[in-house]
Amino acid sequence: MQIQDLPYPDPGVPDARSGPRFLWWLGRNQLGGQVKSLAWGLLHFVAVSALPFCVGLSVQAVVDRSGTRLALTGGLLALCAFCIALGDTFLHRTAVTNWITAAARVQQLLARKAAVLGSALTRRVAAGEVVAVSTGDVEKIGWFVEAVSRFTAAALTVVVVCVALLLYQPALGVVVAVGLPVVALAVLPLLPRATRRADFQREKAGRATELASDTVAGLRVLRGIGGEDLFLDRYRRASQEVRHAAVRSARMWSLIAAVQVLLPGVLMIVVVWYGVHLAQRGRISIGELVTVYSSVMVLSYPLQHFHEIAMAYSFSRPSAKRAARVLSLERATDAEGVRGADLPSGDLYDPATGLLAPAGRLTAVVCGDPDAAGLLAERLGGHPADQDTSVLLGGVPLDELPLDTARTAVLVQDKDPVLLSGSLRELLDVPASGNVSAQDALAAAQCEDVLEALAQASLDAEDPMDTRITERGRSLSGGQRQRLALARSLITDPEVLVLDEPTSAVDSHTEARIAQGVRGLREGRTTVVFTSSPLLLDHADRVVLVYEGQVVAVGVHRELVHDEPRYRAVVTRETEDEAVLSGVLKELEEIEETA
């Protein structure tokens, strides 16, 4: 896999049972890149480790006054330099490729999971954790995946050099062969504590990210109630906890780094002392002493990768654990895709609540609890929060349809729709039937004043459709964002459109015109609107009251307001005392009519 081949046609099905299993799965899926990196790493490290042998041969050639051997070793040095440069260049290239492709695979998997779960994702995992996984965690996971091949090449190089020294100079070779494993493995007792501190730091950082994400999302509300200082203090304390945890983790890693500097130095002193002793007794030559000494000194380079792989694993393990936790989430139902991809049509029916939305009609749903309304809207779109009976469209369970078919048939716009950054033209460029134009959708959603405001705000764009919209539409008011999102939903022209409080942020005059526009544009299409606005309810063909999870009344707005106290309490915001008074007056009217 090359970088230019990204994104993957199919990122695969991950092993999300645990963090280490997920890392192992990623490594196996990049076996070709790992082998390339290993090969170039071996060439580079072996060439670097061969330099001391060339230097030792050169010194011995000078001592023996052999010009032929000196010229030969000069050629070997030139060959080693070429191999070092070649190996280092392509090792870096393959390592970066492995890093980027592993991170890209994780990001594709997370994006696919988010698309499958929809809004249910942030109900089961904190939004801040999703952000942390999709940004910083993917880099740490990619770091470990690419570091494995370099570490393997370094470890094999150490083994090769030890064997070569044993054959070249057995007396000193034994010292090096025994000392190097001690140097490499001496930090193992420190790794568990370093890993725990790194995990603790990641946990604190994740909590701080979640707090920051929640604070930014609710900043407007916090300012309205004067709570920004309170949340600022909370974030300040959380960031200080992250700083203290990072300092404690850094202390441990600095200790490990110090040990890996100290022990090779001690080994070098032992080799030099013992080598000089052997040279004085005539058991080794000066060239052999220089070779062994230089080998020990050069081996500190591949030994650094032992420290790096330990750090990469310690940092990537909690990241992989978080990613695996997100990727292991499944839809509440598991019968998806057992039917064909034919688009169903007909009445929309929810067996759990008894809600029926007849085909081709505008149905308004009134719920006393806004959260219950949101959950019911998601159920109608085939996104139930829990395992339950599937919603039926034309008698066909949505959960048995392929996911893309179900979402084409039923589109749900929640009460807080997101506007992506880009031009207005790009915002409205969505998969659609082609039967509804952008102009018609914008007119039905009463976006004329929004277009005028965008045209006045932009000096570069001649057409309002080319005006840039900032991230999440923050430059627009709540009502403007709501109307643009409604226009985007209307353009798609789905078989069933479910709208959750689509006009909660607009004034009553605009709301009345939106009700007329939506009714006219959706003529002959099934539309379900969750609302308690009398202006919308009065334009509905059918109004359904859902109370405590069950349909308790069905009719038209004017009848239900007059006959159903529970409906009247929600729609008119009637208090209990007012309801009692209204009931008494109604009874008096009936008595008068009877008399």
Side-chain angles (χ1 to χ4, degrees), residues 22-288:
F22 180 59
L23 292 174
W24 172 247
W25 178 84
L26 282 175
R28 286 191 293 108
N29 277 270
Q30 291 186 202
L31 192 58
Q34 297 283 12
V35 171
K36 290 180 182 178
S37 183
L38 174 61
W40 290 116
L42 281 174
L43 176 64
H44 175 65
F45 290 131
V46 170
V48 170
S49 301
L51 288 176
F53 292 91
C54 296
V55 171
L57 292 175
S58 300
V59 171
Q60 193 61 42
V62 172
V63 172
D64 296 340
R65 299 180 181 275
S66 174
T68 303
R69 281 190 292 160
L70 184 61
L72 178 62
T73 53
L76 291 176
L77 281 171
L79 178 61
C80 287
F82 174 77
C83 292
I84 290 172
L86 181 66
D88 191 28
T89 300
F90 284 93
L91 173 61
H92 178 74
R93 180 185 179 89
T94 55
V96 171
T97 300
N98 288 336
W99 189 338
I100 293 177
T101 52
R105 187 187 296 273
V106 177
Q107 286 181 325
Q108 279 189 252
L109 291 170
L110 291 170
R112 184 174 67 179
K113 181 61 65 174
V116 169
L117 295 176
S119 58
L121 175 61
T122 52
R123 289 203 309 270
R124 300 166 70 178
V125 179
E129 183 170 354
V130 177
V131 172
V133 171
S134 59
T135 53
D137 284 341
V138 295
E139 294 186 2
K140 297 177 179 64
I141 292 171
W143 176 28
F144 174 75
V145 171
E146 71 86 11
V148 169
S149 55
R150 290 188 291 111
F151 163 72
T152 305
L156 291 175
T157 300
V158 171
V159 173
V160 169
V161 171
C162 288
V163 173
L165 288 176
L166 283 173
L167 297 176
Y168 178 73
Q169 177 34 251
L172 283 178
V174 171
V175 177
V176 176
V178 173
L180 278 178
V182 174
V183 171
L185 302 178
V187 297
L188 286 181
L190 301 177
L191 289 180
R193 181 175 296 180
T195 302
R196 287 194 298 271
R197 291 189 179 185
D199 290 349
F200 184 72
Q201 177 194 350
R202 285 290 172 272
E203 180 182 351
K204 291 294 184 181
R207 291 178 180 175
T209 303
E210 292 174 16
L211 181 59
S213 177
D214 294 341
T215 302
V216 171
L219 188 58
R220 180 172 297 181
V221 177
L222 291 175
R223 286 176 176 172
I225 63 176
E228 62 267 29
D229 291 337
L230 174 63
F231 273 78
L232 181 61
D233 290 338
R234 289 182 181 178
Y235 181 74
R236 185 180 291 112
R237 289 194 299 270
S239 63
Q240 288 300 314
E241 291 178 0
V242 174
R243 184 180 69 84
H244 290 306
V247 170
R248 293 184 70 248
S249 179
R251 286 173 180 168
M252 205 67 213
W253 287 112
S254 63
L255 176 60
I256 292 175
V259 170
Q260 291 198 320
V261 171
L262 175 64
L263 293 184
V266 173
L267 177 60
M268 191 177 301
I269 292 173
V270 172
V271 168
V272 171
W273 175 81
Y274 186 55
V276 170
H277 178 70
L278 294 177
Q280 288 177 343
R281 296 173 57 184
R283 294 181 56 183
I284 64 172
S285 64
I286 298 299
E288 290 173 337

Side-chain angles (χ1 to χ4, degrees), residues 481-547:
R481 287 198 302 270
Q482 206 168 50
R483 283 178 282 166
L484 287 178
L486 176 59
R488 179 179 59 186
S489 299
L490 293 173
I491 286 177
T492 61
D493 190 34
E495 182 70 24
V496 178
L497 177 60
V498 180
L499 303 172
D500 186 7
E501 295 290 352
T503 59
S504 59
V506 301
D507 60 82
S508 57
H509 179 65
T510 305
E511 188 175 31
R513 290 187 297 167
I514 289 176
Q516 296 175 352
V518 171
R519 181 182 177 85
L521 194 64
R522 292 288 298 173
E523 186 70 31
R525 290 290 205 180
T526 306
T527 307
V528 181
V529 181
F530 285 81
T531 183
S532 59
S533 168
L535 293 173
L536 287 178
L537 294 169
D538 196 39
H539 284 81
D541 299 316
R542 174 186 175 92
V543 179
V544 179
L545 173 63
V546 177
Y547 184 76

Side-chain angles (χ1 to χ4, degrees), residues 174-510:
V174 171
V175 177
V176 176
V178 173
L180 278 178
V182 174
V183 171
L185 302 178
V187 297
L188 286 181
L190 301 177
L191 289 180
R193 181 175 296 180
T195 302
R196 287 194 298 271
R197 291 189 179 185
D199 290 349
F200 184 72
Q201 177 194 350
R202 285 290 172 272
E203 180 182 351
K204 291 294 184 181
R207 291 178 180 175
T209 303
E210 292 174 16
L211 181 59
S213 177
D214 294 341
T215 302
V216 171
L219 188 58
R220 180 172 297 181
V221 177
L222 291 175
R223 286 176 176 172
I225 63 176
E228 62 267 29
D229 291 337
L230 174 63
F231 273 78
L232 181 61
D233 290 338
R234 289 182 181 178
Y235 181 74
R236 185 180 291 112
R237 289 194 299 270
S239 63
Q240 288 300 314
E241 291 178 0
V242 174
R243 184 180 69 84
H244 290 306
V247 170
R248 293 184 70 248
S249 179
R251 286 173 180 168
M252 205 67 213
W253 287 112
S254 63
L255 176 60
I256 292 175
V259 170
Q260 291 198 320
V261 171
L262 175 64
L263 293 184
V266 173
L267 177 60
M268 191 177 301
I269 292 173
V270 172
V271 168
V272 171
W273 175 81
Y274 186 55
V276 170
H277 178 70
L278 294 177
Q280 288 177 343
R281 296 173 57 184
R283 294 181 56 183
I284 64 172
S285 64
I286 298 299
E288 290 173 337
L289 177 59
V290 171
T291 298
V292 177
Y293 165 77
S294 302
S295 296
V296 174
M297 183 174 63
V298 169
L299 280 177
S300 61
Y301 172 51
L303 284 176
Q304 292 174 1
H305 291 77
F306 286 72
H307 173 226
E308 182 189 9
I309 194 65
M311 179 178 287
Y313 180 72
S314 297
F315 278 81
S316 66
R317 192 176 65 124
S319 298
K321 182 180 178 181
R322 281 197 293 267
R325 182 165 58 249
V326 174
L327 295 175
S328 64
L329 298 176
E330 298 293 343
R331 297 180 68 198
T333 55
D334 55 5
E336 176 198 350
V338 298
R339 289 179 179 264
D342 295 336
L343 197 66
S345 61
D347 297 344
L348 184 68
Y349 177 65
D350 178 24
T353 59
L355 173 62
L356 173 66
R361 302 178 67 183
L362 174 59
T363 301
V365 181
V366 176
C367 291
D369 183 1
D371 294 333
L375 293 175
L376 180 54
E378 291 175 3
R379 273 187 52 79
L380 295 181
H383 313 296
D386 302 307
Q387 182 76 30
D388 207 341
T389 306
S390 174
V391 172
L392 306 177
L393 177 59
V396 178
L398 287 181
D399 295 336
E400 295 183 7
L401 292 172
L403 187 60
D404 56 348
T405 303
R407 290 186 173 175
T408 301
V410 182
L411 174 66
V412 179
Q413 176 183 303
D414 61 25
K415 65 183 65 178
D416 187 22
V418 175
L419 301 183
L420 302 179
S421 60
S423 68
L424 180 57
R425 193 183 308 278
E426 293 170 341
L427 175 69
L428 300 179
D429 184 16
V430 293
S433 66
N435 297 327
V436 179
S437 65
Q439 290 74 18
D440 292 340
L442 289 169
Q446 301 300 309
C447 294
E448 292 85 356
D449 62 320
V450 182
L451 295 178
E452 293 177 2
L454 290 175
Q456 294 174 1
S458 176
L459 300 178
D460 300 330
E462 298 180 358
D463 188 345
M465 297 292 289
D466 296 324
T467 305
R468 303 290 297 180
I469 297 176
T470 58
E471 181 186 4
R472 300 181 67 90
R474 298 187 189 281
S475 58
L476 303 172
S477 68
Q480 290 174 331
R481 287 198 302 270
Q482 206 168 50
R483 283 178 282 166
L484 287 178
L486 176 59
R488 179 179 59 186
S489 299
L490 293 173
I491 286 177
T492 61
D493 190 34
E495 182 70 24
V496 178
L497 177 60
V498 180
L499 303 172
D500 186 7
E501 295 290 352
T503 59
S504 59
V506 301
D507 60 82
S508 57
H509 179 65
T510 305

